[in-house]
Every structure is written in structure tokens, then in C-alpha cells.
């Protein structure tokens, strides 16, 4: 069986200029990055056309080590929509080097449902992550420079500074560091640290900005810390937003590539969903809605994380309204939620499936909380038995939920046409009754409780003394009207990764709340979640290589 990278290399890609013409984009307007990648100017966004197009959100059940293939289904579904005569585009996030060199080894779909050129997309792509990293760290440098200054100091109290540096790599040793050592010429020593770039507030801001002016406004609103006399300091007080936005002048433009079947794909922005908002950029989504009839997009991890944030944060900020939610599930993942050991998932077990399907049911219920309709996509694997597949279909049918088997890896668009037809029917009959889960003017604790109890199924929410202090600080700053972006493990509906399936009678513990005023949300930190991951015991990086001809191996 060929690997994903071998399949990708066997495809003769179209020049990106031809892909652009499918969307009605003049090739002369493209900013080319070689033959197969390009940036598209923001002038191709026509928001007056957005309400006429259909927005399809792809989400999934709670992730497992077995994998669910949400991105692969998104790509396969878009290819299938084009095969049945629907003009469509897939809009995805850019991969972070953290997972690429950590656990996954690649994040561009798989088999016959990939985005190309997969090596470029998985590595440096068009440099967006680098630009975000530089803009973020520029603010960090300006902060330390102001503390050091004798004539222009704002009086920042180093103990209150919340702005860390970022790097697009898993490196646990950088979570807590001391900067400014080496004497008076090297700065003022203070405790700080690094987050991964995908967790940067600059990343979140880029993904939520609607224009260059909005980008600058949001960058200026970044909360930095307090002066010694308790005055809040924002990035605008350091005159940082102009230079930061200048570094993002190209990164703000969506990236155009193609799927393995030559279908257009816009890939832009890359925040994680367990520690950030987990969605691609507003601009890329609006561009696709301006240029196609059906836009397929995905949100990171399960519905409880990425999709909730897509709906409560992104859609609210951009005035978007999804027409249908595709919920991806696999037989083996549901069996894992039912207690079947990872090494035994290839063995058929309707009993384990019956125990684990409650996880699917909870996510279906959660979709209904937003007044949206679900379509379940069973991402098919060769080890799935007919009895197991039929069990899921029957389960969904009994609850009036459309369900289709999708062979996206093996057949690409051809194996996803049944799903595409169901999605078109659901999207076309949608009355756009979508509404966010909570109003922004509710108290912060009430908003957190609404998510924890409604989406996760928690019994209660507990707050550490540090989190309670953060709540007071947020209220004093007048920022309690911001949205909520929960930082929580993706492995469970709870904040305990060991609780699989549909846990009950658990308490969510909020141990801190970070402020992302520029992005427009607050970040409650739950459980053991960290904003700088570490490499696993056997990192994918140890298996990635390149030969003298430039051929890369290990991206799978």
C-alpha cells in the first residue's frame, strides 16, 4: 500500500493559475510562490455574495489515538461536491511544525483526499507562521526594550507582564525561562517563557481580522501588563501595532493550492483548538464564500473544542452562519471510546461500539444547541466490518440524523458522493436558524458554565484562587464582555484525558484565565493543558529525511 507522500507524488498537479481560473480569479492577480502555490489579494472578497453561498462546517467526535480523519473528509467531501456539479472550495488551517515533527508527521489529509503540494504545505509553505512568529516576538522585544529604557519607560512592572515569546516547535524546556541575564546591558532579568506559535494571540488575531485596519486595531488591543501604579498597558501604548501589521502584510492574504483531484483549496492560519480558537481565517472563509456556491471548512479536534469556538467566536465576529455541520466518526475511534484497547481496534466488536457511541450522541446533541442540523460521516477503514458500519447507520437513522459512509482515503471524491448529496440536501433546506451558545454580556463565570455544562456535560465548574484573581482583574479592566476560548484537553469531553466516551458527574477546574483582548476572547485554562507542547517519546522528526535529489520521506 502506498504512503500518503507516495500517492501525492504520483499526481500531476495543475499550475495554480489554472486552479485560480476555476474560482474566477485572474491569474495575473496572483502572487505566485512557484508553480503550485499563490496568495490571493483581499480584493476578491465580496461580502455581499456571502449570504448566497452555503457554509459547511466539518467537525468530529472526541479525538483518539486511532485518528478520525476530519481534514481528509473535508477534502474528500469538497472533491465529491465538485464531482456532482457543485462549485466548491475547501478552506483549511495551515499545519504547525509542532505536530508535523511531533506526533502526526503531516497534516494535509491522506490517500486520495489530500491537499498539494503536501511537503510544502507541511513545512514552511508561504511563510505565514514565520511572519506571525516575528510579529509576536517583535512585541516581546519592544516590551523588554521599554523596561530597559531610561527616558521612554512606561513604568511596566515586569512581574505583571503576560506576553511571552513564541516558536513553532514543540519544546517543553522553553515553557519557563528567565530573560535578561548577563548584566545591565542585556536587559532587566525577569521570568517569562515560550508558547507555540499556533497558540499566539497574533495567530488568533490574524484568523479573526476582517481587514488590514481591523488587524492593526486588534494588535493594538493586546494586553501586555500593568505599570507599578496599576495602570494597564496595551500594545498600542508601545506603538507596536504598525510594525507588527507590516510584518503581516503578506501573511494576511489567503493561500491558494489544490486537492489531489485539482479542486481549489484555500489554506490560511493555523491555531490549535485545544489551546486557541482552532479555525482558519475569517478572510479565507469569506473569500471562498465570495467565489463558490459551497464552502467546506473544518475546525480543530472535536465539536466540543474547535466547532464550539468556530460558532461562538468566529461566526459571531464575522457574521457567518453555517448551513450544516458534518460530524466525522470512525468505527475504531468509537470502539476506543467504548473501552477497546488501541492494539485491538482492528478486531470487530459491536459491543465496544455500542458502549462508545454515546460520544457520538453527545456531539450530535451539542450541534442541536446551536440550532444546526448534523450529517454524520463515517470515515471508512478497511478493518471496519459491515456489521459495525451498519450499527452506526442504524443508530443515526433511529434518531433522524442523515449518515453516510465515506471512503475518502481510498477513493477520494468518488467515495464521498453519497455524503455530498446528503450535505447538499441538508444545506439547501437549512433555514439559517443558527445562534451562538451564550450572549457576550453575560458574566464571565456564567459563560464558562454554559460551555462546561452544556457542551461538555460537566456537573459544575471550580476555580482555583489564581483563576478567581484573574476574574477580578478582567472585571477591573472592563473586559468581561469578551467571548470565551476554553483551553482543554481534546481527548475527553471533560478536562481529564482519561475519561472517555460520555463522562458524567465530573467537575471542570479552571486554574487560570488568560486575556486575549486583541483577539476578543478570554482563555480559561483547565486541567493540565499547556500552551507549549513537548515532543513525544518517539517524535516523527526522527523518521523524516531528505535525499540528495530533494525527495522528502517520513511525512505520512
Amino acid at each position: 500500500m502506498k504512503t500518503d507522500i507516495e500517492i501525492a507524488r504520483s499526481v500531476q498537479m495543475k499550475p495554480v493559475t489554472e486552479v485560480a481560473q476555476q474560482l474566477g480569479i485572474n491569474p495575473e492577480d496572483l502572487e505566485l510562490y512557484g508553480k503550485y502555490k499563490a496568495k490571493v489579494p483581499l480584493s476578491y472578497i465580496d461580502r455581499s455574495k456571502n449570504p448566497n453561498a452555503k457554509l459547511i462546517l466539518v467537525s468530529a467526535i472526541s479525538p483518539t489515538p486511532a485518528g478520525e480523519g476530519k481534514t481528509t473528509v473535508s477534502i474528500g467531501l469538497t472533491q465529491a461536491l465538485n464531482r456532482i456539479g457543485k462549485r466548491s472550495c475547501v478552506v483549511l488551517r495551515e499545519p504547525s511544525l509542532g505536530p508535523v515533527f511531533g506526533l502526526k508527521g503531516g497534516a494535509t489529509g491522506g490517500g486520495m483526499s489530500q491537499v498539494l503540494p503536501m511537503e510544502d504545505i507541511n513545512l514552511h509553505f508561504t511563510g505565514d507562521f514565520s511572519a506571525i512568529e516575528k510579529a509576536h516576538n517583535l512585541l516581546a522585544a519592544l516590551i523588554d526594550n521599554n523596561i530597559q529604557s531610561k527616558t521612554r519607560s512606561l513604568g511596566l512592572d515586569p512581574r505583571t507582564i503576560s506576553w511571552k515569546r513564541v516558536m513553532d516547535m514543540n519544546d517543553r524546556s522553553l515553557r519557563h525561562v528567565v530573560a535578561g541575564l548577563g548584566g545591565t546591558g542585556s536587559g532587566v532579568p525577569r521570568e517569562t517563557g515560550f508558547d507555540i506559535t499556533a497558540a499566539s494571540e497574533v495567530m488568533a488575531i490574524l484568523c479573526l481580522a476582517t481587514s488590514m485596519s481591523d488587524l492593526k486595531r486588534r494588535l493594538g488591543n493586546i494586553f501586555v501588563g500593568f505599570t507599578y501604579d496599576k495602570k494597564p498597558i496595551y500594545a498600542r501604548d508601545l506603538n507596536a501595532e504598525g510594525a507588527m501589521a507590516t510584518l503581516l502584510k503578506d501573511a494576511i492574504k489567503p493561500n491558494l493550492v489544490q486537492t489531489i483531484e485539482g479542486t481549489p483549496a484555500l489554506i490560511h492560519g493555523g491555531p490549535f483548538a485545544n489551546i486557541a480558537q482552532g479555525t482558519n481565517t475569517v478572510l479565507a472563509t469569506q473569500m471562498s464564500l465570495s467565489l463558490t456556491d459551497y464552502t467546506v471548512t473544518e475546525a480543530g479536534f472535536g465539536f466540543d473544542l474547535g466547532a464550539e469556538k468556530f460558532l461562538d467566536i468566529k461566526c459571531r465576529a464575522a457574521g457567518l452562519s453555517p448551513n450544516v455541520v458534518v460530524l466525522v466518526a470512525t468505527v475504531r475511534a468509537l470502539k476506543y471510546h467504548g473501552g477497546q484497547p488501541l492494539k485491538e481496534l482492528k478486531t470487530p466488536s459491536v459491543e465496544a461500539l455500542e458502549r462508545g457511541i454515546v460520544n457520538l450522541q453527545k456531539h450530535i446533541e451539542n450541534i442541536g444547541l446551536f440550532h444546526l442540523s448534523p450529517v454524520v460521516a463515517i470515515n471508512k477503514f478497511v478493518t471496519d466490518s459491515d456489521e459495525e458500519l451498519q450499527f452506526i447507520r442504524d443508530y443515526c437513522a433511529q434518531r433522524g440524523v442523515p449518515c453516510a459512509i465515506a471512503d475518502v482515503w481510498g477513493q477520494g471524491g468518488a467515495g464521498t458522493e453519497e455524503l455530498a448529496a446528503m450535505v447538499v440536501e441538508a444545506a439547501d433546506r437549512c433555514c439559517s436558524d443558527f445562534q451562538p451558545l451564550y450572549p457576550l454580556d453575560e458574566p464571565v463565570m456564567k459563560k464558562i458554565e454554559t460551555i462546561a455544562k452544556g457542551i461538555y456535560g460537566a456537573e459544575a465548574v471550580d476555580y482555583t484562587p489564581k483563576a478567581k484573581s484573574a476574574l477580578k482583574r478582567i472585571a477591573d479592566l472592563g473586559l468581561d464582555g469578551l467571548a470565551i476560548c476554553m483551553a482543554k484537553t481534546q481527548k475527553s469531553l471533560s478536562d481529564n484525558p482519561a475519561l472517555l466516551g460520555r463522562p458524567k458527574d465530573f467537575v471542570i477546574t479552571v486554574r487560570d484565565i488568560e486575556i486575549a483582548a486583541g483577539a476578543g476572547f478570554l482563555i480559561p485554562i483547565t486541567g493540565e493543558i499547556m500552551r507549549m507542547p513537548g515532543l513525544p517519546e518517539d517524535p516523527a522528526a526522527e523518521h523524516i529525511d531528505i535525499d540528495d535529489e530533494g525527495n522528502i520521506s517520513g511525512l505520512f
Side-chain angles (χ1 to χ4, degrees):
M1 183 181 295
K2 288 185 177 180
T3 63
D4 289 342
I5 197 168
E6 290 171 338
I7 293 171
R9 285 183 183 151
S10 69
V11 175
Q12 180 60 51
M13 287 186 283
K14 298 178 182 178
V16 72
T17 50
E18 291 184 18
V19 179
Q21 288 174 323
Q22 295 180 53
L23 295 174
I25 298 172
N26 186 340
E28 294 183 1
D29 291 335
L30 296 176
E31 297 177 14
L32 298 175
Y33 285 68
K35 295 180 180 179
Y36 307 113
K37 301 172 291 182
K39 283 193 169 288
V40 184
L42 300 185
S43 58
Y44 277 92
I45 297 174
D46 183 352
R47 292 180 178 87
S48 66
K49 295 181 179 178
N50 287 184
N52 300 321
K54 305 297 183 183
L55 179 58
I56 301 159
L57 172 61
V58 179
S59 187
I61 62 172
S62 300
T64 71
E68 287 64 59
K70 182 171 70 276
T71 301
T72 309
V73 170
S74 299
I75 297 165
L77 172 59
T78 308
Q79 294 178 153
L81 287 167
N82 275 274
R83 292 173 70 96
I84 64 174
K86 307 297 182 182
R87 198 158 57 100
S88 64
C89 176
V90 65
V91 188
L92 302 170
R93 292 172 298 158
E94 301 176 47
S96 161
L97 291 180
V100 168
F101 289 112
L103 281 171
K104 291 185 177 181
T108 52
M112 298 306 295
S113 295
Q114 298 186 57
V115 281
L116 307 175
M118 72 95 80
E119 297 105 312
D120 293 5
I121 296 169
N122 273 310
L123 298 175
H124 299 291
F125 200 20
T126 58
D128 292 347
F129 266 70
S130 179
I132 291 163
E133 192 173 286
K134 299 297 187 294
H136 182 113
N137 292 336
L138 171 61
L139 177 56
L142 288 170
I143 291 168
D144 283 316
N145 186 62
N146 190 267
I147 296 172
Q148 174 83 349
S149 175
K150 295 179 180 178
T151 60
R152 304 181 70 241
S153 172
L154 295 172
L156 262 170
D157 183 348
R159 297 167 299 179
T160 69
I161 294 171
S162 57
W163 194 253
K164 297 181 178 181
R165 286 168 169 81
V166 295
M167 183 175 69
D168 189 34
M169 195 65 63
N170 292 356
D171 193 343
R172 61 174 58 85
S173 65
L174 293 178
R175 288 173 186 159
H176 304 284
V177 302
V178 176
L181 299 179
T184 56
S186 298
V188 176
R190 67 181 182 89
E191 188 175 350
T192 181
F194 279 75
D195 293 333
I196 192 165
T197 304
S200 165
E201 185 178 352
V202 177
M203 172 70 81
I205 286 171
L206 181 75
C207 288
L208 292 171
T210 56
S211 64
M212 179 59 78
S213 60
D214 185 45
L215 177 72
K216 286 196 290 186
R217 178 188 65 82
R218 289 174 175 273
L219 290 171
N221 286 342
I222 293 172
F223 174 70
V224 171
F226 292 96
T227 63
Y228 283 104
D229 57 2
K230 308 303 180 186
K231 176 187 174 183
I233 296 296
Y234 298 87
R236 60 179 176 266
D237 298 316
L238 293 158
N239 300 315
E241 69 269 33
M244 293 172 72
T246 301
L247 285 170
L248 299 171
K249 70 179 183 66
D250 293 319
I252 196 173
K253 302 168 188 174
N255 306 295
L256 177 65
V257 289
Q258 63 192 284
T259 74
I260 210 163
E261 295 183 11
T263 302
L266 290 170
I267 302 182
H268 199 209
F272 293 157
N274 59 343
I275 50 179
Q277 86 271 29
T279 68
N280 58 70
T281 66
V282 164
L283 291 169
T285 303
Q286 290 180 333
M287 182 174 287
S288 180
L289 289 168
S290 302
L291 300 172
T292 66
D293 298 321
Y294 292 84
T295 289
V296 179
T297 189
E298 56 108 29
F301 294 126
F303 187 90
D304 58 312
L305 285 172
E308 182 271 316
K309 294 167 185 174
F310 181 97
L311 298 167
D312 278 327
I313 298 174
K314 177 175 179 174
C315 287
R316 187 175 349 228
L320 298 173
S321 182
N323 298 91
V324 64
V325 178
V326 176
L327 189 63
V328 179
T330 65
V331 167
R332 57 187 192 174
L334 289 172
K335 289 193 295 186
Y336 185 85
H337 278 291
Q340 190 166 12
L342 184 63
K343 293 181 180 180
E344 299 176 17
L345 292 181
K346 294 181 180 180
T347 304
S349 175
V350 174
E351 293 77 15
L353 190 58
E354 189 172 3
R355 292 192 301 270
I357 206 163
V358 291
N359 186 268
L360 175 68
Q361 177 59 32
K362 176 55 178 166
H363 289 296
I364 290 174
E365 291 173 10
N366 286 345
I367 294 170
L369 295 177
F370 293 91
H371 297 245
L372 294 170
S373 299
V375 174
V376 171
I378 308 173
N379 186 11
K380 184 180 180 181
F381 287 79
V382 293
T383 55
D384 299 342
S385 71
D386 291 340
E387 187 180 10
E388 290 172 323
L389 292 169
Q390 192 58 47
F391 178 84
I392 300 175
R393 298 196 76 157
D394 291 344
Y395 186 90
C396 292
Q398 291 166 9
R399 287 153 182 80
V401 177
C403 175
I405 296 171
D407 187 2
V408 287
W409 195 94
Q411 298 187 52
T416 323
E417 291 185 15
E418 180 190 11
L419 175 63
M422 287 184 179
V423 167
V424 167
E425 182 182 357
D428 288 352
R429 72 167 184 266
C430 173
C431 59
S432 296
D433 194 28
F434 160 71
Q435 63 183 46
L437 194 63
Y438 54 84
L440 292 178
D441 58 3
E442 281 189 343
V444 174
M445 292 178 69
K446 175 63 175 174
K447 288 183 281 193
I448 294 173
E449 182 181 277
T450 298
I451 296 171
K453 290 185 176 181
I455 299 295
Y456 308 156
E459 181 70 23
V461 181
D462 190 24
Y463 295 84
T464 65
K466 188 175 183 180
K468 290 177 181 177
S469 295
L471 285 168
K472 183 180 184 305
R473 184 183 313 120
I474 289 162
D476 291 344
L477 290 168
L479 298 175
D480 38 5
L482 298 181
I484 302 298
C485 182
M486 299 288 284
K488 181 185 76 70
T489 179
Q490 71 274 20
K491 297 178 181 180
S492 171
L493 284 162
S494 73
D495 57 358
N496 180 353
L499 299 181
L500 302 179
R502 183 176 184 170
K504 296 181 179 180
D505 303 322
F506 62 91
V507 175
I508 291 283
T509 299
V510 177
R511 56 183 176 85
D512 195 7
I513 305 177
E514 297 183 3
I515 297 171
F521 53 69
L522 305 171
I523 309 171
I525 310 294
T526 70
E528 298 300 317
I529 199 71
M530 295 182 179
R531 290 163 63 83
M532 170 54 87
L535 289 171
E537 186 71 21
D538 182 21
E542 295 184 8
H543 308 282
I544 295 174
D545 201 2
I546 186 169
D547 63 20
D548 288 343
E549 283 72 45
N551 296 311
I552 296 171
S553 58
L555 289 174
F556 49 84

